[in-house]
Amino acid sequence: MNSAGPDTVRIAGPQVGDKGDQLLDVTSGKARAAMPPGMRAMSCTHDRGQTLVCTHGFAVVAVDAATGKLLVALKDGDQGRTPPTVTAVWHGRVYGRGVGGPVVLDARTGADMPTKPEAAPLLVNEYAGLVLDDNRLFSYPAGG
């Protein structure tokens, strides 16, 4: 069981049995939505907005946190690109390291977004992104 947003948890794994992989309302315990098939092994992080960003091996998948609807699925070799190694997610942005360096993706569409500064933060909030480089911690203002 992991957090999947405000008042929502994700329940997945063999112990769930025939219920599969679901998003549950924490107040009522009732299912809000089923996750897309084949995602039980994926680890998901809520972006503190509307999206769950899930990773496993060479795949990055984004799911609407309220409906369980699959938004984006980037798998190794799809569309001629390698999915990034995700370092952080925050309010609709997926931060990571790609083949050519740091990348930022729109969590809802998978589209590339500007990366300023050229860094892959480990932690992000509304104020700053923290980047570890050569065992030194740097802070950059969060922004647009």
Side-chain angles (χ1 to χ4, degrees), residues 72-91:
V72 177
L74 301 173
K75 296 180 181 157
D76 199 18
D78 283 356
Q79 303 162 0
R81 70 187 286 183
T82 301
T85 300
V86 175
T87 59
V89 298
W90 181 258
H91 285 230

PDB file of all heavy atoms in Angstrom, residues 72-91:
ATOM      1  N   VAL A  72       0.557   8.128 -20.156  1.00  0.00           N
ATOM      2  CA  VAL A  72       1.795   8.026 -20.927  1.00  0.00           C
ATOM      3  C   VAL A  72       2.477   6.718 -20.576  1.00  0.00           C
ATOM      4  O   VAL A  72       2.501   6.325 -19.410  1.00  0.00           O
ATOM      5  CB  VAL A  72       2.766   9.179 -20.566  1.00  0.00           C
ATOM      6  CG1 VAL A  72       4.088   9.034 -21.305  1.00  0.00           C
ATOM      7  CG2 VAL A  72       2.154  10.525 -20.855  1.00  0.00           C
ATOM      8  N   ALA A  73       3.041   6.052 -21.568  1.00  0.00           N
ATOM      9  CA  ALA A  73       3.852   4.857 -21.340  1.00  0.00           C
ATOM     10  C   ALA A  73       5.087   4.956 -22.221  1.00  0.00           C
ATOM     11  O   ALA A  73       5.004   4.882 -23.447  1.00  0.00           O
ATOM     12  CB  ALA A  73       3.063   3.596 -21.667  1.00  0.00           C
ATOM     13  N   LEU A  74       6.230   5.185 -21.591  1.00  0.00           N
ATOM     14  CA  LEU A  74       7.506   5.237 -22.296  1.00  0.00           C
ATOM     15  C   LEU A  74       8.276   3.976 -21.951  1.00  0.00           C
ATOM     16  O   LEU A  74       8.617   3.753 -20.788  1.00  0.00           O
ATOM     17  CB  LEU A  74       8.315   6.464 -21.878  1.00  0.00           C
ATOM     18  CG  LEU A  74       7.681   7.822 -22.109  1.00  0.00           C
ATOM     19  CD1 LEU A  74       8.539   8.915 -21.477  1.00  0.00           C
ATOM     20  CD2 LEU A  74       7.505   8.079 -23.593  1.00  0.00           C
ATOM     21  N   LYS A  75       8.520   3.155 -22.957  1.00  0.00           N
ATOM     22  CA  LYS A  75       9.262   1.915 -22.741  1.00  0.00           C
ATOM     23  C   LYS A  75      10.497   1.943 -23.618  1.00  0.00           C
ATOM     24  O   LYS A  75      10.527   2.615 -24.652  1.00  0.00           O
ATOM     25  CB  LYS A  75       8.382   0.716 -23.067  1.00  0.00           C
ATOM     26  CG  LYS A  75       7.191   0.631 -22.133  1.00  0.00           C
ATOM     27  CD  LYS A  75       6.315  -0.541 -22.429  1.00  0.00           C
ATOM     28  CE  LYS A  75       5.146  -0.505 -21.460  1.00  0.00           C
ATOM     29  NZ  LYS A  75       4.009  -1.212 -21.914  1.00  0.00           N
ATOM     30  N   ASP A  76      11.519   1.223 -23.181  1.00  0.00           N
ATOM     31  CA  ASP A  76      12.787   1.207 -23.896  1.00  0.00           C
ATOM     32  C   ASP A  76      12.560   0.858 -25.369  1.00  0.00           C
ATOM     33  O   ASP A  76      11.925  -0.136 -25.689  1.00  0.00           O
ATOM     34  CB  ASP A  76      13.741   0.199 -23.254  1.00  0.00           C
ATOM     35  CG  ASP A  76      15.177   0.459 -23.626  1.00  0.00           C
ATOM     36  OD1 ASP A  76      15.484   1.572 -24.076  1.00  0.00           O
ATOM     37  OD2 ASP A  76      16.002  -0.451 -23.455  1.00  0.00           O
ATOM     38  N   GLY A  77      13.030   1.728 -26.248  1.00  0.00           N
ATOM     39  CA  GLY A  77      12.914   1.512 -27.682  1.00  0.00           C
ATOM     40  C   GLY A  77      11.679   2.117 -28.315  1.00  0.00           C
ATOM     41  O   GLY A  77      11.609   2.243 -29.527  1.00  0.00           O
ATOM     42  N   ASP A  78      10.669   2.494 -27.501  1.00  0.00           N
ATOM     43  CA  ASP A  78       9.476   3.131 -28.053  1.00  0.00           C
ATOM     44  C   ASP A  78       9.835   4.497 -28.625  1.00  0.00           C
ATOM     45  O   ASP A  78      10.586   5.262 -28.004  1.00  0.00           O
ATOM     46  CB  ASP A  78       8.409   3.334 -26.974  1.00  0.00           C
ATOM     47  CG  ASP A  78       7.669   2.056 -26.636  1.00  0.00           C
ATOM     48  OD1 ASP A  78       7.920   1.028 -27.284  1.00  0.00           O
ATOM     49  OD2 ASP A  78       6.854   2.099 -25.704  1.00  0.00           O
ATOM     50  N   GLN A  79       9.309   4.814 -29.748  1.00  0.00           N
ATOM     51  CA  GLN A  79       9.473   6.120 -30.379  1.00  0.00           C
ATOM     52  C   GLN A  79      10.937   6.509 -30.516  1.00  0.00           C
ATOM     53  O   GLN A  79      11.299   7.683 -30.511  1.00  0.00           O
ATOM     54  CB  GLN A  79       8.715   7.203 -29.593  1.00  0.00           C
ATOM     55  CG  GLN A  79       7.247   6.887 -29.449  1.00  0.00           C
ATOM     56  CD  GLN A  79       6.583   7.683 -28.344  1.00  0.00           C
ATOM     57  OE1 GLN A  79       7.202   8.488 -27.670  1.00  0.00           O
ATOM     58  NE2 GLN A  79       5.294   7.445 -28.171  1.00  0.00           N
ATOM     59  N   GLY A  80      11.823   5.504 -30.610  1.00  0.00           N
ATOM     60  CA  GLY A  80      13.234   5.766 -30.849  1.00  0.00           C
ATOM     61  C   GLY A  80      13.962   6.414 -29.686  1.00  0.00           C
ATOM     62  O   GLY A  80      15.027   6.987 -29.867  1.00  0.00           O
ATOM     63  N   ARG A  81      13.428   6.318 -28.480  1.00  0.00           N
ATOM     64  CA  ARG A  81      14.117   6.924 -27.349  1.00  0.00           C
ATOM     65  C   ARG A  81      14.115   5.997 -26.151  1.00  0.00           C
ATOM     66  O   ARG A  81      13.295   5.100 -26.041  1.00  0.00           O
ATOM     67  CB  ARG A  81      13.536   8.286 -26.993  1.00  0.00           C
ATOM     68  CG  ARG A  81      12.172   8.281 -26.380  1.00  0.00           C
ATOM     69  CD  ARG A  81      11.588   9.657 -26.213  1.00  0.00           C
ATOM     70  NE  ARG A  81      12.210  10.387 -25.119  1.00  0.00           N
ATOM     71  CZ  ARG A  81      11.834  11.586 -24.736  1.00  0.00           C
ATOM     72  NH1 ARG A  81      10.856  12.202 -25.363  1.00  0.00           N
ATOM     73  NH2 ARG A  81      12.416  12.192 -23.750  1.00  0.00           N
ATOM     74  N   THR A  82      15.049   6.251 -25.266  1.00  0.00           N
ATOM     75  CA  THR A  82      15.161   5.496 -24.035  1.00  0.00           C
ATOM     76  C   THR A  82      14.535   6.328 -22.915  1.00  0.00           C
ATOM     77  O   THR A  82      14.876   7.500 -22.774  1.00  0.00           O
ATOM     78  CB  THR A  82      16.644   5.222 -23.705  1.00  0.00           C
ATOM     79  OG1 THR A  82      17.213   4.498 -24.794  1.00  0.00           O
ATOM     80  CG2 THR A  82      16.789   4.421 -22.434  1.00  0.00           C
ATOM     81  N   PRO A  83      13.636   5.751 -22.134  1.00  0.00           N
ATOM     82  CA  PRO A  83      13.043   6.515 -21.027  1.00  0.00           C
ATOM     83  C   PRO A  83      14.127   6.964 -20.044  1.00  0.00           C
ATOM     84  O   PRO A  83      15.123   6.266 -19.843  1.00  0.00           O
ATOM     85  CB  PRO A  83      12.098   5.517 -20.363  1.00  0.00           C
ATOM     86  CG  PRO A  83      11.839   4.486 -21.388  1.00  0.00           C
ATOM     87  CD  PRO A  83      13.080   4.410 -22.217  1.00  0.00           C
ATOM     88  N   PRO A  84      13.928   8.108 -19.413  1.00  0.00           N
ATOM     89  CA  PRO A  84      14.921   8.576 -18.444  1.00  0.00           C
ATOM     90  C   PRO A  84      14.860   7.762 -17.151  1.00  0.00           C
ATOM     91  O   PRO A  84      13.866   7.111 -16.862  1.00  0.00           O
ATOM     92  CB  PRO A  84      14.493  10.021 -18.185  1.00  0.00           C
ATOM     93  CG  PRO A  84      13.024  10.019 -18.421  1.00  0.00           C
ATOM     94  CD  PRO A  84      12.801   9.034 -19.543  1.00  0.00           C
ATOM     95  N   THR A  85      15.928   7.845 -16.393  1.00  0.00           N
ATOM     96  CA  THR A  85      15.925   7.355 -15.023  1.00  0.00           C
ATOM     97  C   THR A  85      15.310   8.471 -14.191  1.00  0.00           C
ATOM     98  O   THR A  85      15.862   9.571 -14.117  1.00  0.00           O
ATOM     99  CB  THR A  85      17.366   7.060 -14.544  1.00  0.00           C
ATOM    100  OG1 THR A  85      17.927   6.074 -15.395  1.00  0.00           O
ATOM    101  CG2 THR A  85      17.372   6.592 -13.099  1.00  0.00           C
ATOM    102  N   VAL A  86      14.154   8.221 -13.611  1.00  0.00           N
ATOM    103  CA  VAL A  86      13.422   9.256 -12.885  1.00  0.00           C
ATOM    104  C   VAL A  86      14.116   9.545 -11.555  1.00  0.00           C
ATOM    105  O   VAL A  86      14.426   8.631 -10.794  1.00  0.00           O
ATOM    106  CB  VAL A  86      11.959   8.832 -12.657  1.00  0.00           C
ATOM    107  CG1 VAL A  86      11.220   9.842 -11.806  1.00  0.00           C
ATOM    108  CG2 VAL A  86      11.255   8.645 -14.000  1.00  0.00           C
ATOM    109  N   THR A  87      14.350  10.838 -11.298  1.00  0.00           N
ATOM    110  CA  THR A  87      14.965  11.262 -10.037  1.00  0.00           C
ATOM    111  C   THR A  87      13.953  11.923  -9.103  1.00  0.00           C
ATOM    112  O   THR A  87      14.103  11.861  -7.892  1.00  0.00           O
ATOM    113  CB  THR A  87      16.141  12.227 -10.282  1.00  0.00           C
ATOM    114  OG1 THR A  87      15.671  13.380 -10.995  1.00  0.00           O
ATOM    115  CG2 THR A  87      17.249  11.545 -11.070  1.00  0.00           C
ATOM    116  N   ALA A  88      12.942  12.587  -9.665  1.00  0.00           N
ATOM    117  CA  ALA A  88      11.927  13.262  -8.850  1.00  0.00           C
ATOM    118  C   ALA A  88      10.699  13.550  -9.710  1.00  0.00           C
ATOM    119  O   ALA A  88      10.793  13.608 -10.942  1.00  0.00           O
ATOM    120  CB  ALA A  88      12.479  14.570  -8.283  1.00  0.00           C
ATOM    121  N   VAL A  89       9.555  13.728  -9.054  1.00  0.00           N
ATOM    122  CA  VAL A  89       8.329  14.168  -9.727  1.00  0.00           C
ATOM    123  C   VAL A  89       7.708  15.270  -8.885  1.00  0.00           C
ATOM    124  O   VAL A  89       7.775  15.231  -7.652  1.00  0.00           O
ATOM    125  CB  VAL A  89       7.323  13.011  -9.961  1.00  0.00           C
ATOM    126  CG1 VAL A  89       7.915  11.959 -10.863  1.00  0.00           C
ATOM    127  CG2 VAL A  89       6.867  12.384  -8.659  1.00  0.00           C
ATOM    128  N   TRP A  90       7.134  16.253  -9.551  1.00  0.00           N
ATOM    129  CA  TRP A  90       6.502  17.353  -8.816  1.00  0.00           C
ATOM    130  C   TRP A  90       5.550  18.100  -9.730  1.00  0.00           C
ATOM    131  O   TRP A  90       5.951  18.582 -10.784  1.00  0.00           O
ATOM    132  CB  TRP A  90       7.569  18.312  -8.266  1.00  0.00           C
ATOM    133  CG  TRP A  90       6.981  19.449  -7.487  1.00  0.00           C
ATOM    134  CD1 TRP A  90       6.808  20.728  -7.925  1.00  0.00           C
ATOM    135  CD2 TRP A  90       6.460  19.419  -6.162  1.00  0.00           C
ATOM    136  NE1 TRP A  90       6.208  21.484  -6.954  1.00  0.00           N
ATOM    137  CE2 TRP A  90       5.990  20.713  -5.855  1.00  0.00           C
ATOM    138  CE3 TRP A  90       6.341  18.419  -5.204  1.00  0.00           C
ATOM    139  CZ2 TRP A  90       5.416  21.022  -4.628  1.00  0.00           C
ATOM    140  CZ3 TRP A  90       5.766  18.735  -3.987  1.00  0.00           C
ATOM    141  CH2 TRP A  90       5.318  20.027  -3.711  1.00  0.00           C
ATOM    142  N   HIS A  91       4.309  18.199  -9.343  1.00  0.00           N
ATOM    143  CA  HIS A  91       3.272  19.003 -10.005  1.00  0.00           C
ATOM    144  C   HIS A  91       3.317  18.934 -11.529  1.00  0.00           C
ATOM    145  O   HIS A  91       3.456  19.952 -12.203  1.00  0.00           O
ATOM    146  CB  HIS A  91       3.355  20.460  -9.537  1.00  0.00           C
ATOM    147  CG  HIS A  91       2.809  20.636  -8.157  1.00  0.00           C
ATOM    148  ND1 HIS A  91       1.900  21.595  -7.845  1.00  0.00           N
ATOM    149  CD2 HIS A  91       3.029  19.964  -7.007  1.00  0.00           C
ATOM    150  CE1 HIS A  91       1.583  21.514  -6.555  1.00  0.00           C
ATOM    151  NE2 HIS A  91       2.259  20.529  -6.038  1.00  0.00           N
TER     152      HIS A  91
END
